[in-house]
Amino acid sequence: MNTPSQPTNQLTTQPTNHPKDHLLTLYCRMVLIREFELRAINERRAGLIPGFIHSCVGQEATAVGACAALNADDAITSTHRGHGHLIAKGGDPKYMMAELAARSTGYCGGKGGSLHMADFDLGILGANGIVAGGIPMATGAALAFQMRGEDRVALAFFGDGAVNEGAFHEAANLAGLWKLPVIFFCENNLYGEGTPQSKQSPVADLAMRAEGYAFPGVIADGNDVLAVYEATQAAVNRARAGNGPTFIEGKTYRFRGHYEGDPMAYRSKEEMEAWRQRDPIPAFRRRLIADAAASEGELRAIEDEVQAALDEAVQFAAGSPAPDPESALEGVYGETHGGSVF
Amino acid sequence: MTREIAFSKALREAMAEEMRRDSSVFLMGEDVGVFGGVFGVSAGLYDEFGEERVRDTPISEQAIVGAGLGAALAGMRPIVEIMFGDFVTVAMDQVVNQAAKARYMSGGKAQVPLTIRITNGAPGSAAAQHSQSPEGWFMNVPGLKIAIPATPYDAKGLLKTAIRGEDPVLFFEHKMLYEVKGEVPEDDDYTVPFGQAAIRRKGTDATIVAVGGVLPKAMEAADLLAKSGISVEVVDPRTLVPLDTETLIESVKKTNRAIIIHEAHRRAGPGAEIAAILAEGAIGYLDAPIVRVATKNVPFPYNPELEDFILPGMGDIVEAVEGVVGYTL
């Protein structure tokens, strides 16, 4: 029961089954996420970013593959490791970087930071500082879509640690019971903060948790963006058809610590190196070239575009004003009954 | 035109009328549908609106509040019910970390029109996990509004304000008020604004601030005290957040004495905050210490005599008022 499904070193999906612009978009988004994270880490060291960062380096394929299967008006909830989810759902790196830099131009006016970025126009209901905190919310958004008869779905991202929280189980039970159009997307990176999944759960394949709630649980290679996309597409189709939720477990790995500065004494160099060999971005790049789905020049052009966009994002953040201290008192309530804060 | 209806019927009317006028309003919670609510508050709503809009849920408070929040963020106006206030602890993350903060964390962008109806108060021998009045806990959480009606009129009017608002509201309903009757207008579309206290009885010698379910006791005590020549003003804050500090302070400036009564536990209960506000706003007018009459700082016992002993009773209120009126420096 505690032996995980073994990931392979080969991507098994076929790029040639997908339109070229789709493949290039997937590649672009993964590179954008990776490079955004590396910039953010550097800018934090340089002092532009005051708060902590939980980077998703290594987990780009789950964010991009899952969000590629969603429409613009579908909703997601994200996690403390959420930059990738936001970018994959269409978040603008400029406003994200400005938010990390705690500027007035950031997504939350400098009040949320990494853990709380949201853009309701893009269906991003928020990153979250509480493990599993967003799962009931995604379930509720799906309830709203179902009640209004809309052809929309909600997808909750969460990690392997969240599956041990009560919020997951309460939401999964409700969603299974009411056949809500929600996808429970578990990014299993094998560690809940600094403790391996094997010490947190009696089961290695978390997808089996779905069985108790009467909906399918599927395992996808979380480092293969097309595998994630195809699994999510199937789940989305199922949800849109009124057949209820799906649990997707994307097996993946975070290359960096739980947070920047994490000494990572809880895992071996060998393990990290083995997973680095399975880095989702070079693997996908090699496949695109090998299958003649894209040329070296096209991919280079994408990589250059990403760097230019991030140069602009960092400049935008650094050049943006800090919020007025008085703005700390605003935005607590929608209706203030005559006073800004009670 | 008015008529006398029970507190619970006033709440039911508020929900039914709001559900008729706005298709985004719906109710969900444990036993709210077919059962009609364990206190009968939602009786008949299931028949009128069906299982889609009057939803029986599993016993899953985190999912109830969390799904309500998610639905609110997605454009609905959910009313969710926590059957006993004690059970809100199970949903604490969704109330405190998620619903209360969603707007602020997003830089003011999130709309959270979520009404969380919560019963409070000791119904008699319900013991330590079915009797608490947890409203004070949430006064310490910015982002929540707290309504605590004491009359059928306010129950209906405040609930409508909560449902139509843009913020998460904890709406506390004292179990012993459900059968209390009071005048409610025939006009189906009045609301009661938040942040406006009601002066229930005018007086000159002392101000009683009565929070929620203790109002009937406070009024009775005031009647009794009037017979011995003590004129008591009774103020009902109606909402704890926002709190109508101006009306409270003005009343105390006039009477020069303040007694705060509530069924929440005494230590760090709503009375502690109200006392601090009165001290800040009217210390120079006070002729006696501000006094709190509240549930003693022990869990609720099962035995009826023990329970009576810890609850704020008529005798405690009368004694407290007489104490401050007779106080000499």
Side-chain angles (χ1 to χ4, degrees), chain A residues 107-108 111-112 116 118 120 128 130 133 136-137 140-141 143-148 166-167 170-171 173-174 177-178 328 330-335 337 342, chain B residues 26 52 55-56 58 60-63 66-67 69-71 73-76 93-94 97-98 103-105 107 109-110 143-145 165-167 194 241-242:
Chain A
Y107 263 124
C108 315
K111 287 178 183 158
H116 307 299
F120 299 94
N128 213 300
I130 306 295
M137 284 157 60
L143 172 61
F145 301 154
Q146 185 192 64
M147 287 182 75
R148 293 194 297 250
E170 291 196 16
N173 181 63
L174 195 73
L177 181 70
W178 290 349
E330 295 163 4
V332 183
Y333 297 100
E335 294 157 297
H337 312 280
F342 311 126
Chain B
F26 70 101
E52 273 286 298
R55 306 181 80 98
D56 284 315
S60 302
E61 287 80 7
Q62 284 195 79
L69 170 59
L73 291 172
M76 301 297 278
D93 174 54
Q94 292 298 323
N97 288 321
Q98 311 296 343
R103 178 184 293 273
Y104 191 79
M105 293 189 300
K109 288 182 292 193
L144 300 172
K145 291 178 180 174
E166 300 303 333
D167 297 303
F194 282 12
V241 182

Side-chain angles (χ1 to χ4, degrees), chain A residues 48-301:
Chain A
L48 180 68
I49 296 171
F52 42 54
I53 290 175
H54 305 84
S55 96
C56 67
V57 172
Q59 301 183 195
E60 296 85 355
T62 45
V64 170
C67 288
L70 301 177
N71 292 337
D73 66 351
D74 292 330
I76 64 164
T77 59
S78 175
T79 70
H80 57 287
R81 204 175 305 290
H83 302 167
H85 308 145
L86 271 63
I87 290 174
K89 191 67 174 62
D92 189 326
K94 263 172 40 178
Y95 304 131
M96 289 175 64
M97 197 64 83
E99 185 59 33
L100 294 183
R103 302 305 164 107
S104 62
T105 53
Y107 263 124
C108 315
K111 287 178 183 158
S114 172
L115 291 177
H116 307 299
M117 280 191 268
D119 186 339
F120 299 94
D121 294 336
L122 295 173
I124 300 165
L125 303 187
N128 213 300
I130 306 295
V131 169
I135 304 174
M137 284 157 60
T139 304
L143 172 61
F145 301 154
Q146 185 192 64
M147 287 182 75
R148 293 194 297 250
E150 294 168 347
D151 190 27
R152 297 164 71 185
V153 305
L155 183 147
F157 283 109
F158 51 91
D160 42 294
V163 179
N164 303 324
E165 290 273 15
F168 162 72
H169 293 275
E170 291 196 16
N173 181 63
L174 195 73
L177 181 70
W178 290 349
K179 293 198 182 305
L180 297 177
V182 58
I183 293 101
F184 297 103
F185 197 107
C186 177
E187 296 175 296
N188 184 351
N189 67 16
L190 303 182
Y191 289 88
E193 303 184 9
T195 301
Q197 190 214 322
S198 60
K199 288 193 174 177
Q200 298 205 36
S201 170
V203 296
D205 290 333
L206 299 175
M208 73 177 289
R209 294 292 189 194
E211 193 179 331
Y213 303 114
F215 51 82
V218 300
I219 295 171
D221 179 349
N223 282 21
D224 180 345
V225 67
L226 291 176
V228 172
Y229 170 75
E230 287 168 9
T232 311
Q233 189 68 67
V236 167
N237 290 343
R238 186 181 141 76
R240 290 200 206 284
N243 294 322
T246 302
F247 184 106
I248 300 171
E249 179 185 4
K251 304 263 191 192
T252 184
Y253 197 77
R254 67 169 147 78
F255 289 170
R256 303 185 67 90
H258 167 58
Y259 56 93
E260 285 308 307
D262 175 357
M264 292 195 284
Y266 48 83
R267 56 187 189 179
S268 70
K269 286 205 166 59
E270 293 72 26
E271 179 187 285
M272 286 192 272
E273 188 46 43
W275 276 94
R276 285 223 175 255
Q277 298 304 312
R278 300 193 54 239
D279 188 327
I281 296 175
F284 189 52
R285 196 181 198 284
R286 286 193 299 270
R287 283 301 299 267
L288 292 176
I289 300 278
D291 288 33
S295 70
E296 179 68 28
E298 284 170 321
L299 299 181
R300 284 250 170 91

Side-chain angles (χ1 to χ4, degrees), chain B residues 258-281:
Chain B
I259 303 96
I260 305 150
I261 308 171
H262 57 63
E263 210 182 291
H265 283 97
R266 176 184 167 87
R267 183 169 55 230
E273 174 67 14
I274 293 170
I277 285 168
L278 293 176
E280 284 165 353

